[in-house]
Amino acid sequence: MTLKEALCVLPQYALPQHSLSVLMSKLTHCQNPAVKNLFIQQIIKHYGVNMDEALQQDIQQFKSFNDFFTRELKPGVRPLTTGRNAIACPADGAVSQAGAITDGTIFQAKGKSFTAQELLGGCAERAAPFQNGQFTTIYLSPKDYHRLHMPLTGTLKEMVHVPGRLFSVNTITTNNVPGLFARNERVCCLFDTEIGPMALVLVGAIFVSSIETVWHGVVTPPTIEKVRSWDYADNAPTLNIGEEMGRFNMGSTIIVLFGKDKMQWDSGFVADKAVKLGEKIGEAVAN
């Protein structure tokens, strides 16, 4: 760890991460026009947000900064792949990693990894279908569209809210905090698809004020001490490929898991690649 990395990472261990996120939530939901408009203007300028793609482009019309941050896109600006057996990108962002789950282990960065069992709340039964399967981790920056969509059509079976820390998920922190994505608070959504189980894991981070899904609404906050889960064996919702499934109220990371020999990533779908919602990133493997 370099001095620059240490100065960025080590203070995070001591920060009151959840308290800071509560304060950020109050700020991002503030409806005072002067406050929210200034905040929106600064983010657009600093990160180069492309407002030409937004359905609503007049910042005066956003009720709060969070309303802006989770803005809708114009119809058609993210065309959905129509390729046969295609798997669609679930979000705008950048690929952190993509590859095989080797003996239950998922690569994080620079020799660091975590297990699928740890990621999914410590349950071996949940992790078993993904043994020696495939994974990808996609990071959403502040400039990106922050709604998350289905890579494949799937029927929801279980949702799990796993408590944890709220480390940043930027590159420096990811490279230096062991097991980061299995330590941060997260919401794991487990689906059945035409190629078997699929997990979409929405990972929280510092200043991520909440995570929500379309079928449940806000899942976190509140911050909790124990894992909690919801079973959807009865009246399970089915979401089609490309449909919205959730969103980050402030940005973070989504991890996608598939089972063994069920799919393959496209050859160009590699770490550091910029990706857009709806584009083809892999394909199902015919059995």
Side-chain angles (χ1 to χ4, degrees), residues 136-158:
T136 186
T137 306
I138 298 175
Y139 167 70
L140 290 74
S141 76
K143 72 177 181 180
D144 291 321
Y145 170 69
H146 275 80
R147 300 188 184 196
L148 307 165
H149 294 244
M150 295 291 288
L152 281 178
T153 296
T155 299
L156 184 66
K157 292 303 179 185
E158 185 181 19

Side-chain angles (χ1 to χ4, degrees), residues 18-281:
H18 286 277
S19 295
L20 289 173
S21 291
V22 169
L23 290 175
M24 179 59 75
S25 179
K26 291 180 179 180
L27 175 61
T28 59
H29 286 85
C30 174
Q31 297 188 18
N32 180 290
V35 174
K36 61 97 175 174
N37 288 344
L38 178 61
F39 199 3
I40 293 170
Q41 289 168 347
Q42 292 302 309
I43 291 294
I44 291 174
K45 180 179 179 180
H46 183 74
Y47 290 102
V49 177
N50 184 1
M51 291 301 291
D52 289 339
E53 296 181 334
L55 182 63
Q56 175 58 258
Q57 298 180 21
D58 181 0
I59 68 170
Q60 305 287 341
Q61 299 303 310
F62 293 110
K63 296 178 181 179
S64 64
F65 176 82
N66 188 70
D67 192 28
F68 152 76
F69 201 79
T70 58
R71 62 195 175 276
E72 290 184 73
L73 296 177
K74 291 178 182 176
V77 299
R78 293 291 184 274
L80 177 65
T81 177
T82 57
R84 187 170 181 268
N85 298 323
I87 293 171
C89 188
D92 282 3
V95 181
S96 293
Q97 301 293 338
I101 303 170
T102 306
D103 295 328
T105 298
I106 298 171
F107 179 66
Q108 178 176 301
K110 288 192 172 182
K112 295 176 176 60
S113 61
F114 52 91
T115 68
Q117 182 172 331
E118 291 169 337
L119 181 69
L120 299 176
C123 177
E125 185 177 351
R126 286 190 200 111
F130 306 106
Q131 181 77 2
N132 297 320
Q134 295 287 325
F135 82 97
T136 186
T137 306
I138 298 175
Y139 167 70
L140 290 74
S141 76
K143 72 177 181 180
D144 291 321
Y145 170 69
H146 275 80
R147 300 188 184 196
L148 307 165
H149 294 244
M150 295 291 288
L152 281 178
T153 296
T155 299
L156 184 66
K157 292 303 179 185
E158 185 181 19
M159 181 173 73
V160 186
H161 177 200
V162 186
R165 301 295 301 272
L166 289 174
F167 287 101
S168 170
V169 290
N170 62 25
T171 301
I172 291 177
T173 310
T174 301
N175 287 344
N176 288 283
V177 174
L180 172 64
F181 299 118
R183 297 174 72 167
N184 273 14
E185 185 171 22
R186 54 206 179 275
V187 175
C188 310
C189 307
L190 303 172
F191 292 88
D192 274 346
T193 77
E194 61 182 8
I195 60 170
M198 174 182 72
L200 304 181
V201 182
L202 284 57
V203 183
I206 189 72
F207 299 139
V208 175
S209 56
S210 76
I211 298 171
E212 61 181 278
T213 62
V214 296
W215 58 84
H216 182 93
V218 174
V219 182
T220 172
T223 297
I224 55 173
E225 294 184 358
K226 295 182 179 180
V227 173
R228 56 178 177 158
S229 64
W230 294 261
D231 183 88
Y232 295 92
D234 298 322
N235 300 316
T238 296
L239 299 176
N240 293 323
I241 181 172
E243 278 194 73
E244 182 183 347
M245 57 78 56
R247 64 184 66 173
F248 290 119
N249 298 317
M250 296 297 284
S252 191
T253 293
I254 181 169
I255 300 175
V256 184
L257 309 181
F258 290 104
K260 182 181 179 182
D261 299 330
K262 298 299 184 180
M263 59 79 62
Q264 59 188 14
W265 303 116
D266 285 351
S267 59
F269 187 70
V270 294
D272 299 325
K273 177 180 173 59
V275 290
K276 294 292 186 182
L277 169 70
E279 68 183 28
K280 179 176 177 290
I281 59 174

